[in-house]
Every structure is written in structure tokens, then in C-alpha cells.
Amino acid sequence: MIAPFIALACLFLGLYLQRKPGFPVERAIFWVNSYLFNLVLPALALLYIPQIEPGWDLLIPISAAWLTFFLSWALFGTLGKVLGWTREVTACLAIVAGLANTSFLGFPVIEALYGKAGLPVALLMDQGGSFLLVSSMAIVIASLYSHQKGNLSAIPLKIIKFPPFGFLIGTLVMSLLGWKTPEALIPLLSWIGKTMAPIALLAIGLRFRIVKGDLKSPYFWLGLSYRLILAPVIVFLIYRNFLDPQELTFKVTVLESAMAPMITGSIVAINYNLAPRLAALLSGLGMVISVFTLGIWYWFLG
């Protein structure tokens, strides 16, 4: 129970530091992002991905995360073209609204509502869904939309050179071959992984600032409405044809799909300068608003 309080303290620390006169906010954001992308995400990939045992029975909950992500890209990509949005806003919404906070927010919520029996499904959705997506497709979208006109051949190299992507590929190969992470590395990787939430919230705090105009932004409400309402509605309507609506797997799959936007997704958008204020607002304020919408979903699912 101490970890959430430490993470929230880091959020408030970021909020304080960004308002402190003379504090080098941009330099701090650079170093925080470097730590997250170059150390934490690779460590988490090495810690969790090789432990996933490939099997068809895993695909149903995992596929829900992939489905809602690609639908987000299709929806906001289309709206962006039709309504003339900037590439930065379009990519920000596609990435941030497309990824649910299935771990930092999802794990404690699922455990509190359904007990430890719900955690295996939540872990599958997070590691096989959200984490794989933020380490792969989110980077692809960010690279495509942030790339200026010119040499398109530089995009694949940009993706490959991104440290989490390389570790993701390596750990996927390990999983397929049945190779496990060396036991001697587990304690260190676990310790590094535990810093993910507080450092990510510190990064959000350094960017997070609510002004009156932000709350009137249609982009914010469109992104949040997709993540908290439309995405879980789609999962509910489709996956009730494959799972028993009264089973725990179905309820956890829907509820995880209704979580607030993923913090790491926001960090990706911020790192690629894709509407950073919007990205921070979606994941920051989104967590607060999701407390109410998650309660409604829990009541609805029974």
C-alpha cells in the first residue's frame, strides 16, 4: 500500500518543481524520460515477457488491448484527416487514448474488486497487451507522425534504435524459445521495475498543468470518452460472444479496457513532442475521472 503513496508524492513533486522559479524543467524531463525509456522499460521487458507461456488460451484477454489500440488509431486517424487536426494531436490521441493503464491503476483496482483471482487476467492484458503495444506500435505511430517531411527510410532505423523496442524483440524471442530470464537478475530488474510508476508520475507532474482552456478542449474529452466509455463498450459487445459475461475473465477484460489512459503512453507522446500538454492531461486528470466511471462499469458488470 506504500507504493501508490510514493507514486502520488512524485506526482506532486513534479507539480511543485515545474512552478519553482529557476528550476530547469525541460532538462529534468529529458533525464527522467531517458531513465524510463533506456533503463526501466527494457528492465520490465526482460522481467516479464520471457515468463509468458505462448498459448491460444491467452489470446482472448490480450486481444482486447490490441483491438482497442488499433481502433483508436483508426478512429483518431480518420477524424484527424476529416477535421484537419495537426499530426501531433492526432498521434497523441491515437497513442494515449488507445492504451489503458492496466498495471499501475489496473492491478490494485482489479485486486480490490475481484481479489487475487482476477490478477492473472489483468497481468496478461498488461504484459501481452498494453506493454507490448507501448514498446512497439506506440513507437511506430510516434515515429511516423513526428517525422518531418523528407527521408522516410530513416523511420525504421529510428524505431529499431529505440532501446525498449530492441529489448522487446529480444525478450519475445526468449519467450518463444522457452528461455527464462536468469534468476540472478530478477531482484535487480524487479527493483528497477518498481520505480516505473513514481518516475513516470514525476514526468507527468513536470508537464501537468490545468488551465481553463484545457478543460474546454474537445481533444481531451474525445480522447477520454474513447478510453473510459467507447473502448469498454466495444469490448463488452464483442467479447460477450466468446466469453461468459458472468465469468471473471470477461469482467476483468472489460474493466481493464475501461482504465484511464496509460501513463507510459503519455510519456511516449511527450518524448516525441506529440501534444505533450494534452498527453499529460489525459493520463493525469484521466485517472481522477476514471474513479467514477470504473465504479459505474463495476456496477454494470455485476
Side-chain angles (χ1 to χ4, degrees):
M1 291 299 292
I2 297 177
F5 291 104
I6 295 176
L8 286 175
C10 287
L11 173 63
F12 288 116
L13 175 62
L15 293 171
Y16 166 75
L17 291 176
Q18 70 156 288
R19 290 168 172 79
K20 185 178 180 181
F23 182 78
V25 174
E26 294 301 324
R27 187 183 305 171
I29 290 172
F30 170 80
W31 285 111
V32 167
N33 287 349
S34 296
Y35 172 77
L36 287 171
F37 288 120
N38 296 322
L39 186 60
V40 177
L41 287 182
L44 287 173
L46 194 55
L47 180 64
Y48 288 116
I49 301 303
Q51 313 308 320
I52 297 177
E53 299 287 348
W56 293 109
D57 56 322
L58 308 180
L59 291 182
I60 292 181
I62 289 175
S63 65
W66 288 78
L67 172 66
T68 54
F69 180 82
F70 281 105
L71 284 177
S72 174
W73 188 7
L75 173 64
F76 293 116
T78 302
L79 287 176
K81 287 183 178 179
V82 172
L83 301 177
W85 296 348
T86 65
R87 292 171 61 85
E88 290 76 15
V89 167
T90 300
C92 176
L93 289 174
I95 294 169
V96 182
L99 293 166
N101 194 334
T102 48
S103 57
F104 174 67
L105 179 63
F107 291 169
V109 168
I110 295 300
E111 184 174 8
L113 296 179
Y114 297 115
K116 291 189 180 297
L119 287 179
V121 177
L123 184 64
L124 280 176
M125 289 192 67
D126 181 66
Q127 299 304 316
S130 303
F131 184 76
L132 285 179
L133 284 163
V134 79
S135 302
S136 57
M137 290 309 305
I139 306 305
V140 171
I141 294 175
S143 299
L144 288 172
Y145 281 79
S146 65
H147 186 75
Q148 303 299 319
K149 292 181 179 180
N151 185 15
L152 295 178
S153 63
I155 295 178
L157 182 61
K158 189 176 182 180
I159 296 169
I160 293 171
K161 288 173 64 177
F162 193 66
F165 187 79
F167 271 83
L168 173 65
I169 299 301
T171 52
L172 282 174
V173 172
M174 289 175 65
S175 177
L176 292 172
L177 296 176
W179 297 350
K180 302 300 181 185
T181 303
E183 289 292 331
L185 293 178
I186 298 297
L188 175 62
L189 296 174
S190 298
W191 183 85
I192 295 174
K194 288 178 181 177
T195 66
M196 174 69 197
I199 299 302
L201 281 173
L202 174 63
I204 293 297
L206 289 169
R207 286 282 190 184
F208 186 72
R209 179 178 293 180
I210 301 177
V211 297
K212 191 174 181 180
D214 289 333
L215 296 180
K216 292 182 178 179
S217 169
Y219 307 129
F220 170 73
W221 292 109
L222 279 171
L224 210 58
S225 296
Y226 174 81
R227 184 68 270 160
L228 302 183
I229 301 173
L230 183 57
V233 165
I234 292 170
V235 170
F236 176 85
L237 293 176
I238 293 177
Y239 285 77
R240 65 179 179 176
N241 298 304
F242 305 100
L243 298 169
D244 183 351
Q246 300 305 316
E247 285 186 355
L248 184 60
T249 299
F250 177 79
K251 293 180 180 181
V252 173
T253 300
V254 175
L255 204 62
E256 280 279 61
S257 301
M259 295 295 165
M262 187 184 194
I263 297 172
T264 317
S266 293
I267 300 301
V268 169
I270 291 171
N271 191 59
Y272 280 83
N273 201 32
L274 301 171
R277 282 178 57 80
L278 175 61
L281 197 65
L282 281 167
S283 58
L285 188 57
M287 280 194 290
V288 178
I289 296 175
S290 70
V291 171
F292 303 99
T293 57
L294 286 171
I296 295 172
W297 274 108
Y298 177 68
W299 169 81
F300 176 75
L301 291 170

